[in-house]
Amino acid sequence: MKNQTSITIVLLMSLSDDQKTIHVLFIFFLLIYLMTVFSNFLIILLVVTCAHLHTPMYFFLGNLAFLDMSYSSVTAPSMLSHLITQHWSMSLSDCIVQVFCVLYFAGSEVLLLSSMSYDRYVAICHPPHYSQVMSWGTCAKMAFLVWSTPFLVSITYIICLRRLTFCGPNLIKNFFCDLPHLFQISCTDPTINVLTLLILGSVSGSAAFVITFYPYVRIIRAVLRIRTSDGKSKAFSTCTSHLTVVLIYYASITFIYFVPNTSDLLTLNRVVTVIYTLITPLLNPLIYSLRSKDLKAALQRALHIHRLHPDITTRRR
């Protein structure tokens, strides 16, 4: 930001002014964060170590688990630190870094959900050609686009911030930094930045939205042509987990970024933001683990081996 920056500290809005409520929130969010890290790490471990999970579907699921774990780590640790210390402030440079990480991981998840949607489309609508279309080379290329494209988009937003001057008021009406928050505390007209955000966001977001939801139109048509109820149930069961995750994610994004953040909706907006940043990364592994028989079988097998291990060690001794 060089010499154009007039303020170096931004103030975040506290989640509560009551000490008892703060302690309850700290314990609650700490448990949520620990469960998020543990559950997503467990999915990554199962996908890596279990040979029967080495498929495109679980390859993308492993990427999603790593992404959710990383995204939650962008906001949760700092929020927990603010709760326990009651110092709701951070440097402007740290705020900009957090903005970049939020944009990057949010964009990566949008593209990753699109890739997973395409994978389900090929599996249900073109099963004979699934192994050929969704080869490991194709999966690697899709994963590269998922992780590299949002980086270029996010770094473009951050570079555009260099033209803005931040001279206060330095209050951000949330518990973490996001790009619209920086526009609100800017003394420079952010019209160019807003247009850049709208253009890049509209193009990339619309493309990802179409790629994510259009396959489900084809999937529903294909499933309805199946005559047996068992066949329909089996086909739907392979994509209901992903569709549930997609709907939760897009509903949260729509409310946060497209519903006006007025004073009347401030509390509701913060609740949805908590769900979007903290609860959703925990729900994703739970939804998939409850719906995936292969994942549950892998977990049961791992627990069974772990229980047998002490007996085997004792016998060897």
Coordinates of all heavy atoms in Angstrom, one line a residue, residues 182-219:
L182 N -13.3 -3.7 2.7 CA -12.3 -2.7 2.4 C -12.8 -1.6 1.5 O -12.3 -0.5 1.6 CB -11.1 -3.5 1.7 CG -10.3 -4.4 2.5 CD1 -9.1 -5.0 1.7 CD2 -9.7 -3.8 3.8
F183 N -13.7 -1.9 0.6 CA -14.3 -0.8 -0.1 C -15.1 0.2 0.8 O -15.0 1.4 0.5 CB -15.3 -1.4 -1.2 CG -14.7 -2.3 -2.2 CD1 -15.5 -3.2 -2.9 CD2 -13.4 -2.2 -2.5 CE1 -14.9 -4.0 -3.9 CE2 -12.8 -3.0 -3.5 CZ -13.6 -3.9 -4.2
Q184 N -15.7 -0.3 1.8 CA -16.4 0.5 2.7 C -15.6 1.5 3.5 O -16.0 2.6 3.9 CB -17.3 -0.3 3.7 CG -18.4 -1.1 3.0 CD -19.1 -2.1 3.9 OE1 -18.8 -2.2 5.1 NE2 -20.0 -2.9 3.3
I185 N -14.3 1.1 3.8 CA -13.4 2.0 4.6 C -12.4 2.8 3.7 O -11.5 3.4 4.2 CB -12.6 1.2 5.7 CG1 -11.7 0.2 5.0 CG2 -13.6 0.4 6.6 CD1 -10.8 -0.5 6.0
S186 N -12.6 2.7 2.4 CA -11.8 3.4 1.5 C -12.2 4.9 1.3 O -13.3 5.2 1.3 CB -11.8 2.7 0.1 OG -11.1 3.5 -0.8
C187 N -11.2 5.8 1.3 CA -11.4 7.2 1.0 C -11.4 7.5 -0.5 O -11.8 8.6 -0.9 CB -10.4 8.0 1.8 SG -10.4 7.9 3.5
T188 N -10.9 6.5 -1.2 CA -10.8 6.7 -2.7 C -12.1 6.0 -3.3 O -12.6 5.0 -2.8 CB -9.6 6.0 -3.3 OG1 -8.4 6.4 -2.5 CG2 -9.4 6.3 -4.7
D189 N -12.6 6.6 -4.4 CA -13.7 6.1 -5.1 C -13.4 4.7 -5.6 O -12.6 4.5 -6.4 CB -14.1 7.0 -6.2 CG -15.4 6.5 -6.9 OD1 -16.1 5.6 -6.4 OD2 -15.7 7.0 -8.0
P190 N -14.1 3.6 -5.0 CA -13.8 2.2 -5.4 C -14.5 1.7 -6.6 O -14.7 0.5 -6.8 CB -14.2 1.5 -4.2 CG -15.4 2.2 -3.6 CD -15.1 3.7 -4.0
T191 N -15.1 2.6 -7.5 CA -15.9 2.2 -8.6 C -15.2 1.3 -9.5 O -15.7 0.2 -9.9 CB -16.4 3.5 -9.4 OG1 -17.1 4.3 -8.5 CG2 -17.3 3.0 -10.5
I192 N -13.9 1.6 -9.8 CA -13.1 0.7 -10.7 C -12.9 -0.7 -10.1 O -13.1 -1.7 -10.8 CB -11.7 1.3 -11.0 CG1 -11.9 2.7 -11.8 CG2 -10.9 0.4 -11.8 CD1 -10.6 3.4 -12.1
N193 N -12.7 -0.7 -8.8 CA -12.5 -2.0 -8.1 C -13.8 -2.8 -8.1 O -13.8 -4.0 -8.3 CB -12.0 -1.7 -6.7 CG -10.7 -1.0 -6.6 OD1 -10.6 0.2 -6.8 ND2 -9.7 -1.8 -6.3
V194 N -14.9 -2.1 -7.9 CA -16.2 -2.7 -7.9 C -16.5 -3.3 -9.2 O -17.0 -4.4 -9.4 CB -17.3 -1.8 -7.4 CG1 -18.7 -2.4 -7.5 CG2 -17.1 -1.4 -5.9
L195 N -16.2 -2.5 -10.3 CA -16.5 -3.0 -11.7 C -15.6 -4.2 -12.0 O -16.1 -5.2 -12.6 CB -16.2 -1.9 -12.7 CG -17.2 -0.7 -12.7 CD1 -16.7 0.4 -13.7 CD2 -18.6 -1.2 -13.1
T196 N -14.3 -4.2 -11.5 CA -13.4 -5.3 -11.7 C -14.0 -6.5 -11.0 O -14.0 -7.7 -11.6 CB -12.0 -5.0 -11.2 OG1 -11.5 -3.8 -11.8 CG2 -11.1 -6.2 -11.4
L197 N -14.5 -6.3 -9.8 CA -15.1 -7.4 -9.0 C -16.3 -8.0 -9.7 O -16.5 -9.2 -9.9 CB -15.4 -7.0 -7.6 CG -16.1 -8.0 -6.7 CD1 -15.2 -9.2 -6.4 CD2 -16.5 -7.3 -5.4
L198 N -17.2 -7.1 -10.2 CA -18.4 -7.5 -10.9 C -18.1 -8.3 -12.2 O -18.7 -9.3 -12.5 CB -19.3 -6.3 -11.2 CG -20.0 -5.7 -10.0 CD1 -20.7 -4.4 -10.4 CD2 -20.9 -6.7 -9.3
I199 N -17.1 -7.7 -13.0 CA -16.8 -8.3 -14.3 C -16.2 -9.7 -14.1 O -16.7 -10.7 -14.7 CB -15.9 -7.4 -15.1 CG1 -16.7 -6.1 -15.5 CG2 -15.5 -8.1 -16.4 CD1 -15.8 -5.1 -16.2
L200 N -15.1 -9.8 -13.4 CA -14.4 -11.0 -13.1 C -15.3 -12.0 -12.4 O -15.4 -13.2 -12.7 CB -13.1 -10.8 -12.4 CG -12.0 -10.1 -13.1 CD1 -10.8 -10.0 -12.2 CD2 -11.6 -10.9 -14.4
G201 N -16.0 -11.5 -11.4 CA -16.9 -12.4 -10.6 C -18.1 -12.9 -11.4 O -18.5 -14.1 -11.3
S202 N -18.7 -12.0 -12.3 CA -19.8 -12.5 -13.1 C -19.4 -13.5 -14.1 O -20.1 -14.5 -14.3 CB -20.4 -11.2 -13.8 OG -20.9 -10.3 -12.8
V203 N -18.3 -13.3 -14.8 CA -17.8 -14.2 -15.9 C -17.5 -15.5 -15.3 O -18.0 -16.6 -15.7 CB -16.6 -13.6 -16.6 CG1 -16.1 -14.6 -17.6 CG2 -17.0 -12.3 -17.4
S204 N -16.6 -15.5 -14.3 CA -16.1 -16.8 -13.7 C -17.3 -17.5 -12.9 O -17.4 -18.7 -13.0 CB -14.9 -16.5 -12.8 OG -15.3 -15.6 -11.7
G205 N -18.0 -16.7 -12.2 CA -19.1 -17.2 -11.4 C -20.2 -17.8 -12.2 O -20.8 -18.9 -11.9
S206 N -20.6 -17.1 -13.3 CA -21.6 -17.6 -14.2 C -21.2 -18.9 -14.9 O -22.0 -19.9 -15.0 CB -22.0 -16.6 -15.3 OG -22.5 -15.4 -14.7
A207 N -19.9 -19.0 -15.3 CA -19.4 -20.2 -16.0 C -19.4 -21.3 -15.0 O -19.9 -22.4 -15.3 CB -18.0 -19.9 -16.5
A208 N -19.0 -21.1 -13.8 CA -19.0 -22.1 -12.7 C -20.4 -22.6 -12.4 O -20.6 -23.8 -12.2 CB -18.2 -21.7 -11.5
F209 N -21.3 -21.6 -12.3 CA -22.7 -21.9 -12.0 C -23.3 -22.9 -13.0 O -24.0 -23.8 -12.7 CB -23.5 -20.7 -11.8 CG -24.9 -20.9 -11.4 CD1 -25.3 -21.0 -10.1 CD2 -25.9 -20.9 -12.4 CE1 -26.6 -21.2 -9.7 CE2 -27.3 -21.1 -12.0 CZ -27.6 -21.3 -10.7
V210 N -23.1 -22.5 -14.3 CA -23.6 -23.3 -15.4 C -23.0 -24.7 -15.4 O -23.7 -25.7 -15.5 CB -23.4 -22.6 -16.7 CG1 -23.8 -23.6 -17.9 CG2 -24.2 -21.4 -16.8
I211 N -21.7 -24.8 -15.2 CA -21.0 -26.1 -15.2 C -21.4 -26.9 -14.0 O -21.5 -28.2 -14.1 CB -19.5 -25.9 -15.2 CG1 -19.0 -25.2 -16.5 CG2 -18.7 -27.2 -15.1 CD1 -17.6 -24.8 -16.5
T212 N -21.8 -26.3 -12.9 CA -22.2 -27.0 -11.7 C -23.6 -27.5 -11.8 O -23.9 -28.7 -11.5 CB -22.1 -26.1 -10.5 OG1 -20.7 -25.6 -10.4 CG2 -22.5 -26.9 -9.2
F213 N -24.6 -26.7 -12.3 CA -26.0 -27.1 -12.2 C -26.5 -27.7 -13.5 O -27.5 -28.5 -13.5 CB -26.8 -25.9 -11.8 CG -26.7 -25.5 -10.4 CD1 -25.9 -24.5 -10.0 CD2 -27.5 -26.2 -9.4 CE1 -25.8 -24.2 -8.6 CE2 -27.4 -25.9 -8.1 CZ -26.5 -24.9 -7.7
Y214 N -25.9 -27.4 -14.7 CA -26.5 -27.9 -15.9 C -26.3 -29.5 -15.9 O -27.3 -30.2 -16.4 CB -25.8 -27.3 -17.1 CG -26.2 -27.9 -18.4 CD1 -27.5 -27.7 -18.9 CD2 -25.4 -28.8 -19.2 CE1 -27.9 -28.3 -20.1 CE2 -25.8 -29.3 -20.4 CZ -27.1 -29.1 -20.8 OH -27.5 -29.6 -22.0
P215 N -25.2 -30.0 -15.5 CA -25.1 -31.5 -15.4 C -26.2 -32.2 -14.7 O -26.7 -33.3 -15.0 CB -23.8 -31.8 -14.8 CG -22.9 -30.6 -15.1 CD -23.9 -29.4 -15.1
Y216 N -26.8 -31.5 -13.6 CA -27.8 -32.1 -12.8 C -29.1 -32.1 -13.6 O -30.0 -32.9 -13.3 CB -28.0 -31.3 -11.5 CG -27.0 -31.8 -10.5 CD1 -25.8 -31.1 -10.2 CD2 -27.2 -33.0 -9.9 CE1 -24.9 -31.5 -9.3 CE2 -26.2 -33.5 -8.9 CZ -25.1 -32.8 -8.7 OH -24.2 -33.2 -7.8
V217 N -29.3 -31.2 -14.5 CA -30.5 -31.2 -15.4 C -30.4 -32.5 -16.3 O -31.4 -33.2 -16.4 CB -30.5 -30.0 -16.3 CG1 -31.7 -30.1 -17.3 CG2 -30.7 -28.7 -15.5
R218 N -29.2 -32.8 -16.8 CA -29.0 -34.0 -17.6 C -29.1 -35.2 -16.7 O -29.7 -36.3 -17.2 CB -27.7 -33.9 -18.3 CG -27.4 -32.7 -19.2 CD -28.3 -32.8 -20.4 NE -28.0 -34.0 -21.2 CZ -27.0 -34.0 -22.1 NH1 -26.3 -32.9 -22.4 NH2 -26.8 -35.1 -22.8
I219 N -28.6 -35.1 -15.5 CA -28.7 -36.3 -14.6 C -30.1 -36.6 -14.3 O -30.5 -37.8 -14.3 CB -27.9 -36.0 -13.3 CG1 -26.4 -36.0 -13.6 CG2 -28.2 -37.0 -12.2 CD1 -25.5 -35.6 -12.5

